[in-house]
Amino acid sequence: MLITDTGFFYAIANKNDPYHTRAQHVLEAINETLITTYPVVTETCYLLLTTGGNADQCSFLRSLSEGAFEIFHLERPHVDRMVILMEKYADLPMDMADASLVVLAEHLGHGRILTVDRRDFNTYRWNNSNPFENLLLNFK
């Protein structure tokens, strides 16, 4: 399963996004299930609504209901871990969506991610020491 961040979803949906073509090529090339969290879904819907309108956010949610990607369900201990991470990376600062993806990486045991957020995901570490592998930005 590949961890998927807001920027990837936004790039796929927005033809004017500078990463749109790359994101499409990656999506066509991979043969793995995408997984994300509800904080990322919420953040993506907000961006799509404010930049593209209601139809874009509905289209994104429709892709979720059609099984285009999976959702990792956060539980109370995950939220505790997210708070620890958000305090640790307060200087960036780390938002809830990013914290949820670090928790997801810890759950999956890998940091393979599709994101346009180079700065943050080059800084974050899952299990406190493991770097993320940004498959979108490293795609050739």
Side-chain angles (χ1 to χ4, degrees), residues 52-64:
N54 191 54
D56 286 354
Q57 92 169 328
C58 288
S59 177
F60 172 67
L61 287 175
R62 194 170 293 110
S63 71
L64 169 59

Side-chain angles (χ1 to χ4, degrees), residues 3-5 36-37 40 97-105 113 121 132:
I3 302 166
T4 313
D5 190 20
T36 197
T37 62
V40 170
D98 287 358
S100 73
L101 295 180
V102 175
V103 167
L104 175 55
I113 190 166
F121 283 95
F132 280 84

Side-chain angles (χ1 to χ4, degrees), residues 5-136:
D5 190 20
T6 302
F8 177 79
F9 288 129
Y10 185 79
I12 288 290
N14 182 352
K15 291 182 172 87
N16 295 322
D17 187 275
Y19 294 102
H20 177 75
T21 302
R22 180 184 292 228
Q24 282 187 310
H25 290 311
V26 169
L27 192 58
E28 292 166 4
I30 61 173
N31 190 25
E32 287 188 63
T33 303
L34 304 179
I35 188 167
T36 197
T37 62
Y38 275 117
V40 170
V41 169
T42 301
E43 188 175 65
T44 302
C45 283
Y46 174 78
L47 283 175
L48 291 172
L49 177 63
T50 57
T51 61
N54 191 54
D56 286 354
Q57 92 169 328
C58 288
S59 177
F60 172 67
L61 287 175
R62 194 170 293 110
S63 71
L64 169 59
S65 72
E66 292 170 353
F69 55 94
E70 300 292 324
I71 298 290
F72 174 70
H73 295 278
L74 297 166
E75 297 178 9
R76 185 170 291 151
H78 298 132
V79 176
D80 293 339
R81 177 67 175 143
M82 288 166 53
V83 170
I84 290 168
L85 289 164
M86 292 164 74
E87 290 172 343
K88 177 180 179 177
Y89 293 106
D91 58 324
L92 288 177
M94 175 186 264
D95 64 26
M96 180 183 182
D98 287 358
S100 73
L101 295 180
V102 175
V103 167
L104 175 55
E106 292 173 348
H107 173 79
L108 294 173
H110 73 75
R112 295 168 48 247
I113 190 166
L114 297 170
T115 184
V116 302
D117 190 350
R118 179 178 315 214
R119 182 196 70 166
D120 292 349
F121 283 95
N122 280 345
T123 303
Y124 302 149
R125 296 293 182 258
W126 57 276
N127 285 345
N128 299 316
S129 62
N130 299 304
F132 280 84
E133 179 185 359
N134 191 335
L135 300 178
L136 177 63

